[in-house]
Amino acid sequence: MAIEPSLLDTCSTHLKTCLMNIHKVILKANEILCSISQPSVCSEVLLSSRGADYISGVVEVYRLSRRMEGGMRTRNIDCERLRLVLRDIDLSWNNFQAFLSICPSLLQTLPSQSALDYAAGGAFSDSSTCLQTCCGVCLLDRPVEEFPSEVMLDVGGRSYHPSCANFWIHCTNSTLPVLSCHNNCSACVKTKQGVLGVTP
């Protein structure tokens, strides 16, 4: 089921806001690495414990962009402005990986692109278009493969992956996003009927 035009615009604005902040984080990482003029010094920084932690954080930020792209594909959200931001993120990520090439051992720890394809081969239920049940940031409602034990946070009746909520609060807005679902959502209708004690 396609998302209604008005809701599509709300979702697109929400996604673009978060994706632009993801892009800023990766751009900043590129600027930091670019400012280190000597490869030996850059290598020393990257291989330090603080450097490794920083790289790990940037990887998780990029991972969120791929989760969001998976959520977009799952919910049939496709618009030019989002494609442009995702393209910019990928370009910055490729530059970031190029900087890491001076530390092959570190580069090898990065996840493969296939491991980050969150919409590949996923089996979703009939309620996969329901925005009440998915993560309010990335719009995915299935467990994240590399964190199968990750429990969704329930905030105000809405669900969020902890890592998604963490990025949103610290890098986007201090208030978590709340997206209303579309009018014809069968999952929401069933939920309302259950709450009200109404039988179909």
Side-chain angles (χ1 to χ4, degrees), residues 25-26 36 44 46-47 49 65 84 88 106 112 136 141 152 159 162-163 167-168 180 197-198:
V25 170
I26 299 174
I36 305 174
E44 184 179 343
L46 291 173
L47 293 174
S49 58
S65 76
L84 289 174
D88 289 343
L106 192 57
S112 65
D141 56 0
M152 298 281 277
S159 298
S163 52
F167 180 84
W168 183 276
S180 299
V198 178

Side-chain angles (χ1 to χ4, degrees), residues 140-188:
L140 283 178
D141 56 0
R142 62 187 174 126
V144 179
E145 287 80 354
E146 71 276 16
F147 302 119
S149 62
E150 183 177 47
V151 178
M152 298 281 277
L153 295 174
D154 185 7
V155 181
R158 300 302 173 96
S159 298
Y160 305 89
H161 293 113
S163 52
C164 292
N166 183 54
F167 180 84
W168 183 276
I169 289 172
H170 289 96
C171 300
T172 303
N173 192 300
S174 59
T175 304
L176 287 169
V178 177
L179 297 173
S180 299
C181 206
H182 54 85
N183 294 329
N184 299 317
C185 176
S186 59
C188 288

Side-chain angles (χ1 to χ4, degrees), residues 47-61:
L47 293 174
S48 69
S49 58
R50 288 184 64 186
D53 287 345
Y54 179 73
I55 298 303
S56 178
V58 176
V59 170
E60 290 311 308
V61 170

Side-chain angles (χ1 to χ4, degrees), residues 32-170:
I32 290 171
L33 294 178
C34 189
S35 69
I36 305 174
S37 57
Q38 295 187 14
S40 60
V41 175
C42 188
S43 181
E44 184 179 343
V45 170
L46 291 173
L47 293 174
S48 69
S49 58
R50 288 184 64 186
D53 287 345
Y54 179 73
I55 298 303
S56 178
V58 176
V59 170
E60 290 311 308
V61 170
Y62 178 67
R63 191 189 301 276
L64 174 55
S65 76
R66 297 307 305 269
R67 280 195 199 183
M68 295 180 77
E69 186 175 6
M72 288 163 53
R73 278 186 266 163
T74 302
R75 300 178 195 288
N76 299 313
I77 299 172
D78 183 29
C79 70
E80 182 66 17
R81 61 179 178 166
L82 293 177
R83 286 196 299 270
L84 289 174
V85 182
L86 285 167
R87 183 202 63 187
D88 289 343
I89 288 171
D90 281 337
L91 287 172
S92 295
W93 175 251
N94 289 337
N95 287 338
F96 181 71
Q97 290 184 100
F99 280 118
L100 297 188
S101 64
I102 63 172
C103 297
S105 60
L106 192 57
L107 191 61
Q108 290 174 0
T109 65
L110 299 183
S112 65
Q113 288 299 106
S114 61
L116 295 171
D117 190 356
Y118 291 99
F124 298 91
S125 65
D126 292 337
S127 64
S128 64
T129 55
C130 178
L131 297 177
Q132 305 280 12
T133 60
C134 68
C135 172
V137 175
C138 72
L139 306 185
L140 283 178
D141 56 0
R142 62 187 174 126
V144 179
E145 287 80 354
E146 71 276 16
F147 302 119
S149 62
E150 183 177 47
V151 178
M152 298 281 277
L153 295 174
D154 185 7
V155 181
R158 300 302 173 96
S159 298
Y160 305 89
H161 293 113
S163 52
C164 292
N166 183 54
F167 180 84
W168 183 276
I169 289 172
H170 289 96

